[in-house]
Amino acid sequence: MAPLLNGFPNGASGHLPNDPTLVTLRFSDIPPQIDIPVRGLEAEEAVEVNLEELLDDPTELCTLLEQEGVGKQYWMIIALAYAKQAKVDHAIEIISKGLGILNRGDPKEKLGPLSLTCWLYLWKSREAPRVLPEGQPANETGLKDFYLQAATGCLNEASRINPAFPPLFLAKGVLYLLRASLQPPSKAAAPGVPDISDRVETLRQSIKCFEDALRVSAGRNLMATLGRARAHFSLGKYAEALEGYQEVLLKTPHLQDPDPRIGIGCCLWQLGHKDEAREAWERALDLNPDSKIANILLGLYYIHDSSHYATTDPSFGPIYKKAMTVYTQKAFKLDKELPLTCATFGSYFMMRKSWATVDNLARKAIEHTDVNAVASDGWYLLARKEHYQDRPDLVKANDFYQKADLARGGGDKGYLPARFGLVQIQILQRDYDGAKFRLEKIIQQSKSTEAMMILGALHAEDVFRSQISGIKEDKSAEVKKATTLLEAVRLAWKDPQKKMTPDTSVLVYLARLYETDHPDKALQCLQQVEQMTINDMPNKEPPEGADADEAWSAKLREQLSPQLLCDIGCFHFNAEKLDQAREFFQTALNACVKAGEKDEGTDTDALVTTISYNLARTYEAAGLLEEAKQVYEGLLARHEDYTDARTRLAYIELRQNPTEDGPKAMAALYETDSMNLEVRSLFGWYLSKAKRRAPNIAEDQEQRHYKHTLQHHDKHDRYSLTGMGNLYLTTAREMRRDTDQDKEKRRKTYEKAVEFYDKALQLDPRNAYAAQGIAIALVEDRKDLTAAVQLFSKIRDTVKDPSVYVNLGHVFAELKQYSRSIESVSIGPALHTNLLETTNTLQYEAALTHNRASDPQILACLGRVWLLKGKQDKSPSAMKTALSYSHRALALAPQQIHFQFNIAFVQIQLAQLIHILPESQRSLEDVMKASEGLEEAIESFGEIAQSKNPPYPRHDIEQRANMGRNTMRRQLERAVQSQTEYEEKNAAKLQEARELRDAEIRRREAEKRKVEEQKEAERQKIREERDKMAQLSRELAEKRTEEERRRQEAEYTTDEEGERVKRTKKKGGKRKKKGEDSDTGTEAGDGTEDKAVKKTRRKKKAQSTEPSSAVGSSNEEGGATKSKRKRKRLARRAGKEDKFKSQEMVVDSESEDDRQAAAQLTNGQASNDEDGDTEMRDAEDSQTVTRQKPKKRVIEDDEDEDEDKDEDEDEDEPSNKTTAEVDAEEHDDRNGASFADNPHGDPVDERVGAAGDAGAKELTMSGAPTILS
């Protein structure tokens, strides 16, 4: 295809040679003047009319033509002269008057003028506007459609006179083309459904007319070929259109008006070969530098090329500048009315907001174009101009967008930017559902990332509005849709082919969507926004050094948005990364200061207040209470009514001074802000910690406070509802359960607590504290441990509170799932980082990490669970762990007597376990330590029994001490004695077992080393054999090369002229033809044998010879010694009537030249030796020669006499070998024998067999093959 782009077969882009045909041929046949004959004068006299300086008013000229009664050719020439000067209206006027005069004569005389009138109307249609200019009255006169109707009338009149008039076909084709340009494009039909729209039918009619024009012109009408290609292009058949344009270019490579290269480039562009299209247009511009179409098309190419780069990319500027200044501007200077140029320049002035220029250029593009796509661009420019106004007329902008879309077909085939504009108008009109529907259609058709971005933002805004309004509506589907769409856009940024610029708004939307369920992903999005903003900063390169790099990063962050830094700090705070959160909050404060310095009108007070409060909360969470108090006090100094800061100060006072200053601060806060729900919540928490427990819940101070809040402030206060549930749950847990009536009352109290929790969950489905209360009620009231585990597991993922892990530990302890829980969860760093374990033990340990590392109750729970696990698994190590936790709990609360009881109890249990374990599972050291622990337990039980408030009855504790003193002490003494005897008795066996084990290990290692050494030896042997084979192959190759050289020397010689020629064999007797008598005697002594003996001998010889032996036998017969032996053997057999013929293959030779060639082949083969390697080469050579004459025949009985004579001649023929050749053969025999003894063989042997098999196919003999010597 490439050679056809510019008319040269080699694809060169140089200028064509100077040729007169380069000048445009349009109107070239119009003479500069014309002589009009005058009536009444002599024949030689006439009136000369200068056709280059025509009158502005042709009335006088028409009067002259009418008076003189001139022929039609004068009217047509003068009309064309006016048309040549672009005075088309005068041309139409002249030809119309001429037609009026021609009406009086033969109608066929009107065909030419009618055809000319039609073309003039078509010309006017090209220049006329397609729609009325804005502000003009409604009048269809002067529009494109008006002139097309006039042209149609002319063609109809001409068709009535002679429908087969050849010029009419071309005119009809052009008329249909122009009419199709005014018809709207067809909408996309369903797959498999043919397009039968008016526009498509009109284009098909134009193709038919062009084909008729080609038919009548025998294919010589190039304009018809161009018209058919143009119609194919409009139908979207770009390959067929390309063939038409290339055909014209091949026939007329100098054609410029119209230029087929323009069409070739357009077709290549639509076929996706944009660079080839550019080359075609550049070639057109080389031939005609003033081609406005080529200039604007090249401008569009470079605009498209610049769209592959971001506007901030350094490569964008030069390409876009070249498109606008080099090509588009030149095209505009050449023709300021060209629609395509106007539309292209309009987009440039749109960026410069030159609205008046945009409006003028857009309307020119709409009014004067014959291409619907260009009209679509014009309508789109008008829509954008209206859309960008400060107060846009949305109705007008919407109308322009719709017209732009419909001009390109609308529906699925419409203009995508215009459809985006319609979406934006719908969003401005708050028609969100309509915008979503339109965007979904766009995404289905084009997978546009811009559409995904807008649709994702719309779904996200729905979610955010629902969150702000407080309406409890399930928006999970919208969240999923928004997240999926925005993540798809984010993924498209990574595609290097799309060259998309990331948009920070997408990341901000994703961060807000991920904020609740996936805070880690939300933080990643905000960090990406941070990095993108830093990358866009000038002078972002840091100085050298690690410390300087960190300082530089902090300095760059201060130039970022304070809101962004504050949000990142909040996510770090929620992730308990307090140091990073504090750093970001401090940087955000510095950013606020810099923002205020840059723009003094910016109010940063609200930002500073919020960020300062967050910083104080970070100090508070990190335990830096004094720093937090300073920040809170500073906020109160600026804003005295900042209730949140006063609330946090009161809470800090409660933590630092729970008995004096704390209650005072709390009372002062509650007195001033008792209407604030946050203050009331804190006061309720304070009451729960400081109140005295009332015997009746109705008299409880905390319950009254919550009830007052629900009744008089907010009946949906979730904290008060949860607090009421907690109160009822605690009351139910402490109620008596002796009688059925007590149990029923207790059950109802649990149900009351569950009602409050359920109400709180209805208001906030994510209230984990209410859900935890329900789970506790399930365990304590209904003993539904399985459901409780599921609830606690979900709560654990939401609330990072020690109580959740403590509750989970209790439930798993009740389920006795110690080992199963430990095995089913991957254990992280215990006691420190893993907060998501599901075992009871690790739940308690996880609770220790949440500011509860010094909680003796949790340590006691851990000791209990390890004790239960040790009893279940009979594991001394687990019991030792339980003992360790019990000691830690006692160390934290030495005044708690029950912690001391726990230690003694664990020691007793450990002693019992050690006693019952077999000797093989314990050691003497374990028994001794258990005995020591038992003594400590006996002493502890005695002290606990004598205390003021023992945890259990004194009698029970004393009995347990007596059991240890009397029974278990003696048991452990016996265990010590038996364990000592066991270890002494088995010491020798253990030593022997260890020695046997070490010996076995050494033996296995020795065997392993031996196996490795054997493998290494085998590998070394293989390497050596491969080296030997490679060396042998090289030697064989050298030997074959030398043998080939000697064979060439033996077969070729130098003639008298010094040229190398092949040696010729001496000719023997001439072979007698069948049926001829011999006029000479036989040359061999055995020529008197009868034919039957000869036939028998020939058949036996054929059966004892294989195809490959034919080559080998010729080599054997080549030696002089073998020839002499054979003659003697044949002489001995002559008397026995058992003579054999020669083993040479008999070929069908029809001429003396064939016989000579066969003799030369036999002579050449006879010079070779008999070793296996040499036979292989000769077999291949012989096979090659034999294949040149594959035709063979079996000797018949009537040819026996001739064969015998030929055989005798061959036997008596002397050897043609030299002494040097004989010596070479003997040397080769020795080498061949040594090669045959090679034990490893060579791949060449396989080729020998293959050559023999191939040679077998060339023969017609049968029988067992002989073995090569």
Side-chain angles (χ1 to χ4, degrees):
M1 184 180 295
L4 305 179
L5 294 180
N6 50 31
F8 283 91
N10 59 357
S13 59
H15 292 283
L16 290 171
N18 294 328
D19 194 286
T21 57
L22 288 176
V23 182
T24 178
L25 299 178
R26 195 184 296 265
F27 298 110
S28 59
D29 56 344
I30 303 300
Q33 61 272 341
I34 186 174
D35 295 334
I36 301 176
V38 180
R39 291 181 181 179
L41 298 178
E42 296 180 2
E44 292 79 6
E45 294 190 10
V47 177
E48 181 178 313
V49 177
N50 189 350
L51 298 182
E52 295 180 351
E53 298 179 0
L54 295 170
L55 299 175
D56 293 336
D57 186 3
T59 305
E60 296 182 2
L61 191 56
C62 292
T63 302
L64 175 62
L65 295 175
E66 182 178 0
Q67 290 177 353
E68 301 302 329
V70 297
K72 63 179 182 180
Q73 65 273 15
Y74 293 95
W75 294 93
M76 295 176 65
I77 291 174
I78 294 175
L80 288 171
Y82 273 99
K84 183 178 180 179
Q85 299 181 8
K87 299 178 181 179
V88 184
D89 293 331
H90 293 335
I92 294 175
E93 179 183 355
I94 293 172
I95 200 66
S96 298
K97 290 183 178 179
L99 282 172
I101 296 174
L102 292 174
N103 284 333
R104 307 165 190 170
D106 187 1
K108 293 184 179 180
E109 293 294 323
K110 297 170 57 179
L111 289 175
L114 283 173
S115 178
L116 175 58
T117 306
C118 175
W119 282 109
L120 293 175
Y121 279 130
L122 293 177
W123 188 349
K124 287 290 293 183
S125 174
R126 292 292 305 274
E127 297 178 349
R130 62 188 297 154
V131 295
L132 286 173
E134 188 178 11
Q136 289 191 7
N139 185 8
E140 295 185 356
T141 304
L143 297 181
K144 289 182 180 294
D145 189 61
F146 171 79
Y147 292 108
L148 290 179
Q149 291 180 2
T152 303
C154 294
L155 284 176
N156 291 337
E157 184 177 355
S159 297
R160 286 192 292 269
I161 298 173
N162 184 6
F165 187 54
L168 297 182
F169 296 125
L170 185 61
K172 285 182 180 180
V174 176
L175 175 63
Y176 281 124
L177 269 180
L178 294 177
R179 184 176 294 170
S181 67
L182 299 180
Q183 295 172 341
S186 59
K187 296 184 178 181
V193 178
D195 192 348
I196 56 174
S197 61
D198 295 340
R199 181 173 179 272
V200 172
E201 291 299 326
T202 303
L203 290 172
R204 289 172 181 169
Q205 289 291 332
S206 69
I207 293 176
K208 182 178 180 302
C209 294
F210 289 132
E211 290 177 348
D212 291 340
L214 288 170
R215 176 177 51 80
V216 299
S217 64
R220 294 190 300 271
N221 193 333
L222 297 182
M223 295 298 107
T225 305
L226 287 173
R228 183 178 60 182
R230 179 66 179 83
H232 280 143
F233 185 89
S234 300
L235 285 172
K237 300 178 180 180
Y238 305 115
E240 291 86 340
L242 179 61
E243 292 178 0
Y245 287 122
Q246 290 175 337
E247 179 184 351
V248 174
L249 185 60
L250 283 174
K251 292 180 179 179
T252 55
H254 299 284
L255 182 62
Q256 298 183 34
D257 188 18
D259 194 341
R261 300 167 189 82
I262 301 296
I264 289 173
C266 293
C267 294
L268 291 172
W269 180 280
Q270 294 294 339
L271 291 172
H273 307 292
K274 293 181 171 52
D275 292 333
E276 289 79 358
R278 172 184 56 81
E279 294 175 0
W281 295 330
E282 287 177 346
R283 179 59 182 153
L285 199 61
D286 290 341
L287 297 177
N288 184 12
D290 293 334
S291 173
K292 54 188 178 182
I293 299 297
N295 274 287
I296 188 57
L297 289 176
L298 284 172
L300 290 175
Y301 168 83
Y302 286 106
I303 290 175
H304 177 269
D305 191 23
S306 67
S307 66
H308 295 156
Y309 303 92
T311 54
T312 57
D313 194 309
S315 302
F316 173 81
I319 298 175
Y320 188 77
K321 182 178 180 181
K322 183 178 183 179
M324 300 308 298
T325 59
V326 177
Y327 294 107
T328 307
Q329 188 175 13
K330 183 177 180 181
F332 188 74
K333 290 179 179 179
L334 291 171
D335 186 358
K336 296 182 178 180
E337 304 296 328
L338 185 65
L340 184 56
T341 307
C342 293
T344 306
F345 245 144
S347 62
Y348 169 76
F349 286 106
M350 176 69 69
M351 293 187 296
R352 302 186 61 179
K353 297 184 179 181
S354 301
W355 307 125
T357 307
V358 171
D359 186 84
N360 183 29
L361 293 175
R363 295 195 177 277
K364 283 184 178 180
I366 296 170
E367 293 169 1
H368 296 93
T369 185
D370 292 326
V371 182
N372 288 319
V374 178
S376 175
D377 291 339
W379 290 118
Y380 181 68
L381 288 173
L382 291 178
R384 288 181 63 194
K385 185 208 74 169
E386 191 62 40
H387 195 173
Y388 284 167
Q389 302 303 316
D390 296 334
R391 294 182 179 180
D393 187 346
L394 299 182
V395 177
K396 185 182 293 186
N398 188 76
D399 181 56
F400 289 152
Y401 280 131
Q402 287 182 347
K403 289 182 177 179
D405 186 41
L406 291 174
R408 277 186 163 90
D412 296 343
K413 294 175 58 177
Y415 191 33
L416 187 59
R419 296 163 72 184
F420 268 109
L422 289 171
V423 169
Q424 293 173 339
I425 296 298
Q426 287 177 315
I427 294 174
L428 292 175
Q429 294 175 343
R430 301 185 182 278
D431 183 12
Y432 300 120
D433 293 336
K436 291 178 186 177
F437 177 77
R438 194 180 293 273
L439 286 170
E440 288 174 353
K441 296 286 288 183
I442 293 174
I443 293 173
Q444 291 176 2
Q445 298 159 10
S446 63
K447 303 297 181 182
S448 171
T449 53
E450 290 81 2
M452 293 180 183
M453 188 187 308
I454 298 176
L455 184 58
L458 289 177
H459 285 302
E461 290 294 341
D462 284 348
V463 177
F464 302 151
R465 281 195 297 269
S466 176
Q467 294 174 351
I468 295 173
S469 64
I471 300 175
K472 303 304 176 184
E473 186 178 356
D474 185 15
K475 290 290 183 180
S476 58
E478 284 75 7
V479 172
K480 184 177 181 180
K481 289 180 181 178
T483 305
T484 303
L485 291 168
L486 295 177
E487 282 291 356
V489 175
R490 188 180 179 186
L491 183 62
W493 297 344
K494 301 178 182 179
D495 189 351
Q497 295 181 352
K498 296 183 179 180
K499 297 182 181 179
M500 294 184 60
T501 303
D503 192 344
T504 56
S505 62
V506 174
L507 297 171
V508 174
Y509 273 119
L510 282 172
R512 291 188 64 183
L513 292 169
Y514 285 138
E515 179 180 1
T516 304
D517 296 330
H518 304 283
D520 53 338
K521 293 184 178 180
L523 178 59
Q524 291 177 2
C525 293
L526 293 180
Q527 289 174 338
Q528 188 175 354
V529 173
E530 175 194 4
Q531 189 60 43
M532 289 168 54
T533 310
I534 291 176
N535 293 337
D536 293 339
M537 292 180 181
N539 302 325
K540 60 178 180 296
E541 295 297 329
E544 297 181 357
D547 297 338
D549 191 7
E550 295 179 0
W552 185 256
S553 299
K555 185 178 180 180
L556 290 177
R557 283 199 183 98
E558 293 178 357
Q559 303 179 26
L560 300 177
S561 168
Q563 294 91 333
L564 174 62
L565 297 172
C566 182
D567 290 342
I568 295 176
C570 290
F571 281 108
H572 283 307
F573 178 85
N574 292 331
E576 298 184 355
K577 299 177 181 178
L578 301 180
D579 294 337
Q580 298 182 23
R582 182 172 65 251
E583 179 183 353
F584 272 93
F585 288 139
Q586 290 173 346
T587 307
L589 287 175
N590 297 336
C592 288
V593 174
K594 290 194 174 183
E597 292 175 354
K598 291 180 181 179
D599 187 2
E600 297 180 355
T602 303
D603 184 11
T604 58
D605 181 68
L607 275 175
V608 171
T609 302
T610 301
I611 298 171
S612 299
Y613 179 81
N614 292 340
L615 180 60
R617 291 286 287 116
T618 306
Y619 284 137
E620 185 180 346
L624 305 174
L625 300 182
E626 294 301 325
E627 288 83 350
K629 289 175 64 176
Q630 292 178 4
V631 178
Y632 288 137
E633 290 171 355
L635 288 173
L636 289 175
R638 297 172 58 188
H639 303 283
E640 296 180 357
D641 57 345
Y642 196 1
T643 305
D644 291 337
R646 296 184 64 211
T647 302
R648 300 312 303 177
L649 279 174
Y651 175 73
I652 293 174
E653 289 294 338
L654 283 172
R655 290 184 59 183
Q656 292 180 334
N657 300 296
T659 57
E660 297 180 2
D661 295 339
K664 293 179 181 179
M666 189 69 249
L669 176 65
Y670 187 72
E671 183 180 355
T672 57
D673 294 304
S674 61
M675 303 297 292
N676 189 293
L677 291 178
E678 294 295 330
V679 175
R680 296 188 68 84
S681 299
L682 180 62
F683 189 71
W685 173 84
Y686 165 70
L687 292 176
S688 67
K689 300 296 182 181
K691 71 179 181 179
R692 293 182 178 179
R693 192 168 302 279
N696 187 1
I697 190 173
E699 299 175 359
D700 189 271
Q701 188 177 2
E702 183 184 3
Q703 189 266 352
R704 289 179 179 179
H705 173 74
Y706 290 144
K707 187 176 181 180
H708 187 270
T709 302
L710 293 172
Q711 288 178 346
H712 300 91
H713 294 86
D714 185 5
K715 65 179 180 179
H716 297 308
D717 182 37
R718 291 166 291 178
Y719 188 88
S720 298
L721 291 170
T722 307
M724 289 288 284
N726 292 337
L727 281 173
Y728 279 96
L729 187 66
T730 305
T731 303
R733 183 184 297 123
E734 297 176 355
M735 292 178 68
R736 298 174 62 88
R737 62 196 90 174
D738 298 336
T739 64
D740 293 340
Q741 185 178 0
D742 293 339
K743 293 179 180 179
E744 181 65 20
K745 186 177 180 180
R746 182 172 180 267
R747 184 185 62 79
K748 290 183 179 180
T749 306
Y750 273 119
E751 290 179 354
K752 189 71 173 178
V754 171
E755 289 178 2
F756 281 108
Y757 290 138
D758 185 64
K759 181 64 175 178
L761 286 173
Q762 290 178 8
L763 297 171
D764 182 12
R766 310 180 75 86
N767 190 336
Y769 297 99
Q772 185 173 211
I774 292 178
I776 295 172
L778 287 173
V779 175
E780 295 182 352
D781 182 29
R782 301 182 182 180
K783 303 299 180 182
D784 191 353
L785 301 178
T786 305
V789 168
Q790 295 178 358
L791 282 175
F792 281 129
S793 300
K794 293 181 179 179
I795 297 166
R796 177 198 57 199
D797 299 335
T798 305
V799 178
K800 297 178 181 179
D801 189 83
S803 61
V804 182
Y805 299 94
V806 174
N807 291 329
L808 269 173
H810 291 330
V811 175
F812 281 117
E814 293 295 328
L815 289 172
K816 300 180 181 180
Q817 296 181 357
Y818 321 114
S819 300
R820 176 188 172 191
S821 301
I822 292 174
E823 294 173 359
S824 62
V825 179
S826 61
I827 301 176
L831 303 176
H832 297 290
T833 59
N834 196 339
L835 307 182
L836 301 178
E837 302 295 344
T838 60
T839 68
N840 51 347
T841 302
L842 293 178
Q843 301 304 327
Y844 292 131
E845 292 176 349
L848 290 175
T849 63
H850 289 79
N851 299 324
R852 301 287 291 274
S854 59
D855 192 330
Q857 294 296 334
I858 297 178
L859 292 172
C861 291
L862 277 169
R864 173 176 174 269
V865 173
W866 277 109
L867 176 62
L868 295 174
K869 178 176 175 56
K871 292 176 67 176
Q872 185 186 52
D873 299 342
K874 294 182 179 181
S875 171
S877 62
M879 285 195 175
K880 291 177 183 178
T881 305
L883 184 61
S884 174
Y885 279 116
S886 300
H887 278 294
R888 290 173 59 185
L890 181 62
L892 292 173
Q895 71 280 3
Q896 299 292 334
I897 195 69
H898 60 276
F899 291 155
Q900 187 178 357
F901 176 86
N902 290 342
I903 294 175
F905 183 79
V906 174
Q907 288 173 334
I908 290 289
Q909 296 294 324
L910 180 58
Q912 290 179 350
L913 179 61
I914 292 295
H915 170 256
I916 65 175
L917 285 176
E919 289 86 350
S920 59
Q921 296 182 10
R922 67 189 182 187
S923 64
L924 181 60
E925 183 182 1
D926 294 336
V927 179
M928 296 299 294
K929 288 184 178 180
S931 179
E932 294 174 0
L934 177 63
E935 297 298 330
E936 294 177 0
I938 293 171
E939 183 180 353
S940 297
F941 281 141
E943 295 176 358
I944 295 170
Q946 298 300 323
S947 63
K948 183 179 180 180
N949 295 312
Y952 293 97
R954 289 186 176 87
H955 177 70
D956 295 342
I957 298 175
E958 290 175 352
Q959 281 187 347
R960 190 173 292 275
N962 292 331
M963 181 188 68
R965 187 180 298 111
N966 299 326
T967 305
M968 296 188 63
R969 182 182 290 174
R970 290 193 295 268
Q971 290 176 348
L972 286 181
E973 289 175 354
R974 290 193 296 270
V976 169
Q977 183 179 359
S978 64
Q979 187 69 25
T980 303
E981 294 176 355
Y982 173 79
E983 291 185 1
E984 290 177 354
K985 180 180 179 181
N986 293 283
K989 293 182 179 179
L990 291 173
Q991 181 64 26
E992 184 180 357
R994 291 192 193 97
E995 293 176 355
L996 291 175
R997 183 189 62 184
D998 294 340
E1000 179 67 19
I1001 292 174
R1002 289 193 297 271
R1003 185 185 64 80
R1004 292 180 180 179
E1005 290 179 353
E1007 290 179 354
K1008 185 177 180 181
R1009 286 194 301 271
K1010 184 177 180 180
V1011 170
E1012 291 295 333
E1013 291 174 357
Q1014 291 177 354
K1015 291 182 179 179
E1016 180 62 27
E1018 291 178 359
R1019 287 193 290 267
Q1020 181 64 25
K1021 183 178 180 182
I1022 292 173
R1023 286 194 294 268
E1024 292 176 355
E1025 290 178 354
R1026 288 177 179 172
D1027 294 340
K1028 290 179 180 179
M1029 292 172 64
Q1031 179 65 24
L1032 183 60
S1033 298
R1034 288 192 294 270
E1035 293 176 357
L1036 290 175
E1038 294 174 358
K1039 185 181 72 173
R1040 291 175 189 142
T1041 303
E1042 180 63 22
E1043 291 171 355
E1044 179 67 20
R1045 184 185 62 78
R1046 286 183 294 174
R1047 188 178 66 82
Q1048 293 287 343
E1049 291 179 355
E1051 292 183 359
Y1052 289 87
T1053 184
T1054 305
D1055 60 5
E1056 297 177 354
E1057 298 178 358
E1059 295 181 358
R1060 300 268 306 170
V1061 295
K1062 197 169 184 179
R1063 297 180 185 272
T1064 58
K1065 183 180 178 182
K1066 294 182 179 180
K1067 296 183 180 181
K1070 218 176 177 184
R1071 181 172 177 177
K1072 185 183 295 183
K1073 297 295 183 177
K1074 181 178 178 180
E1076 295 180 357
D1077 295 330
S1078 177
D1079 53 358
T1080 61
T1082 58
E1083 298 179 5
D1086 54 358
T1088 60
E1089 295 178 347
D1090 58 10
K1091 294 183 178 180
V1093 175
K1094 294 179 181 178
K1095 184 175 182 181
T1096 303
R1097 183 183 63 190
R1098 182 172 64 254
K1099 290 182 179 180
K1100 290 182 179 180
K1101 191 66 176 179
Q1103 293 175 358
S1104 63
T1105 306
E1106 68 168 0
S1108 59
S1109 67
V1111 180
S1113 64
S1114 64
N1115 294 333
E1116 294 173 358
E1117 294 173 1
T1121 304
K1122 293 184 180 294
S1123 299
K1124 185 182 298 183
R1125 264 199 318 269
K1126 183 177 180 181
R1127 285 196 295 271
K1128 291 181 180 180
R1129 185 171 60 252
L1130 293 177
R1132 286 196 303 269
R1133 293 181 179 178
K1136 299 179 182 180
E1137 300 297 324
D1138 191 18
K1139 183 179 179 181
F1140 286 84
K1141 294 181 69 66
S1142 173
Q1143 292 184 9
E1144 287 187 355
M1145 180 181 67
V1146 180
V1147 298
D1148 188 7
S1149 180
E1150 298 294 340
S1151 64
E1152 185 66 25
D1153 296 336
D1154 294 339
R1155 288 194 297 274
Q1156 291 179 3
Q1160 292 176 4
L1161 173 60
T1162 304
N1163 186 37
Q1165 291 175 346
S1167 65
N1168 296 326
D1169 55 18
E1170 297 178 2
D1171 65 322
D1173 182 71
T1174 309
E1175 282 183 342
M1176 176 200 68
R1177 187 190 69 242
D1178 295 338
E1180 292 175 353
D1181 297 339
S1182 174
Q1183 179 183 356
T1184 304
V1185 176
T1186 305
R1187 287 179 181 174
Q1188 295 176 357
K1189 293 181 179 294
K1191 184 177 180 183
K1192 304 164 186 69
R1193 61 187 178 86
V1194 179
I1195 304 174
E1196 302 296 339
D1197 294 341
D1198 54 358
E1199 298 177 353
D1200 291 341
E1201 184 178 354
D1202 298 334
E1203 293 294 336
D1204 291 338
K1205 293 180 180 181
D1206 294 339
E1207 181 182 349
D1208 295 338
E1209 292 174 2
D1210 293 338
E1211 290 175 351
D1212 293 340
E1213 185 177 288
S1215 175
N1216 197 25
K1217 294 182 179 178
T1218 63
T1219 305
E1221 291 173 357
V1222 174
D1223 294 339
E1225 287 180 355
E1226 294 176 354
H1227 176 71
D1228 291 343
D1229 290 339
R1230 293 192 295 272
N1231 292 339
S1234 63
F1235 174 73
D1237 294 336
N1238 183 12
H1240 302 293
D1242 191 80
V1244 180
D1245 295 337
E1246 298 179 1
R1247 294 196 295 272
V1248 172
D1253 294 341
K1257 298 177 183 178
E1258 301 292 339
L1259 305 177
T1260 58
M1261 295 187 294
S1262 63
T1266 59
I1267 301 175
L1268 293 176
S1269 59

